């Protein structure tokens, strides 16, 4: 089954999915594999692999391979550029940073990467990436014009543009390690506007309560990374999963 179909089925069944983000640049491949295994035990639905800085080449390939050895969960690449592609992954969020000021992040990397995705045979999942203030490293690297937190109408405008461009997924990103997640009022405004287009929310989600608020506001998928970098992975993932699923 295609990864996107699996995610959609799970959203239909459970109300939401939890995605665990692993940055290949943050630890050795065997460590990444342990995190993925712990997240799988905790009930996460897929492993996203990517990061804003580095994390390409052999380190990325070895990380994806190590993760695939220890879990059957889908692996989805989350690339910041064409360098974030690996032939070993199952799928790739084929994403455009819609509110970037640099065409490199809107269409150029996508053009450079598209033939590679085809050659590797990995499943592209079309996604709009929208950076919300503060935006973190992703915002800086992607030269974004972060959307002010008190301006949901700007996020709605970008998300609707994504829908009308045919993207099936929209990701509201506050930035890894953000002090606060994307505001629920913004999530709600975006979901009300885009309807059946799937909404991913990430950045600054550290506990089940915040994850639940995001899902109640309309998020279909929650991404967490930083929260499991320290401490026990499985109980933390269980906290997120328990909070967001029906
Ligand atoms: C970053 O949205 C993701 O791209 C995850 O953010 O590390 O804050 O969980 P955190």
């Amino acid at each position: 089954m295609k990864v996107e179909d699996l995610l959609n089925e799970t959203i239909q069944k459970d109300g939401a999915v939890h995605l665990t983000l692993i940055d290949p640049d943050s630890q050795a491949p065997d460590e990444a594999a342990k995190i993925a295994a712990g997240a799988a035990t905790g009930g996460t639905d897929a492993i996203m692999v990517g990061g804003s800085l580095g994390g390409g080449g052999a380190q990325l390939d070895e990380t994806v391979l190590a993760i695939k050895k220890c879990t059957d969960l889908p692996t989805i690449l989350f690339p910041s550029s064409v360098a974030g592609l690996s032939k070993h992954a199952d799928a790739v969020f084929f994403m455009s940073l819609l509110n970037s000021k640099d065409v490199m992040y809107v269409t150029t990397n996508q053009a450079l990467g598209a033939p590679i995705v085809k050659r590797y045979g990995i499943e592209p999942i079309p996604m709009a990436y929208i950076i919300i203030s503060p935006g973190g490293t992703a915002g800086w690297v992607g030269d974004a014009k972060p959307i002010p937190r008190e301006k949901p109408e700007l996020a709605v405008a970008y998300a609707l543009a994504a829908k009308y461009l045919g993207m099936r997924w929209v990701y509201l990103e506050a930035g890894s390690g953000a002090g606060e997640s994307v505001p629920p009022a913004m999530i709600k405004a975006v979901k009300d506007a885009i309807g059946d287009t799937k909404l991913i929310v990430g950045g600054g989600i550290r506990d089940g309560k915040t994850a639940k608020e995001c899902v109640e506001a309309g998020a279909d998928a929650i991404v967490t990374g930083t929260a499991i970098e320290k401490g026990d992975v499985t109980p933390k993932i269980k906290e997120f999963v328990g909070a967001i699923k029906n």
Side-chain angles (χ1 to χ4, degrees), residues 18 38-39 41-44 205-213 215 222 224 227-228 230 232-245:
H18 177 268
T41 307
T44 197
I205 300 172
R206 292 186 185 75
D207 51 44
K209 183 174 169 283
T210 309
K212 189 180 167 70
E213 282 167 6
V215 168
I222 294 296
T224 64
I228 51 158
K230 290 188 191 96
D232 276 348
V233 174
T234 302
K236 197 69 200 171
I237 298 292
K238 276 190 178 159
E239 178 187 331
F240 289 127
V241 171
I244 66 168
K245 298 222 178 209

Side-chain angles (χ1 to χ4, degrees), residues 21 78 129 138 171-178 201-206 223-227 229:
L21 175 62
F78 181 51
Y129 196 42
Y171 189 144
L172 299 181
E173 169 72 272
S176 187
V201 174
I205 300 172
R206 292 186 185 75
V223 179
T224 64
T226 307
E229 277 175 7

Side-chain angles (χ1 to χ4, degrees), residues 106-133:
V106 186
T107 55
T108 310
N109 271 291
Q110 292 73 4
L112 297 174
I116 300 174
V117 169
K118 187 169 170 65
R119 189 176 343 123
Y120 286 174
I122 46 184
E123 175 191 339
I125 302 175
M127 185 246 269
Y129 196 42
I130 302 171
I131 302 273
I132 312 302
S133 189

Side-chain angles (χ1 to χ4, degrees), residues 128-182:
Y129 196 42
I130 302 171
I131 302 273
I132 312 302
S133 189
T137 309
W140 191 90
V141 170
D143 204 3
K145 202 162 62 167
I147 293 181
R149 302 172 61 78
E150 69 284 7
K151 296 279 182 194
E153 65 274 22
L154 293 178
V156 166
Y158 273 103
L160 261 185
K163 181 184 178 79
Y164 296 160
L165 284 164
M167 294 161 171
R168 296 191 289 271
W169 296 73
V170 168
Y171 189 144
L172 299 181
E173 169 72 272
S176 187
E180 284 178 275
S181 66
V182 175

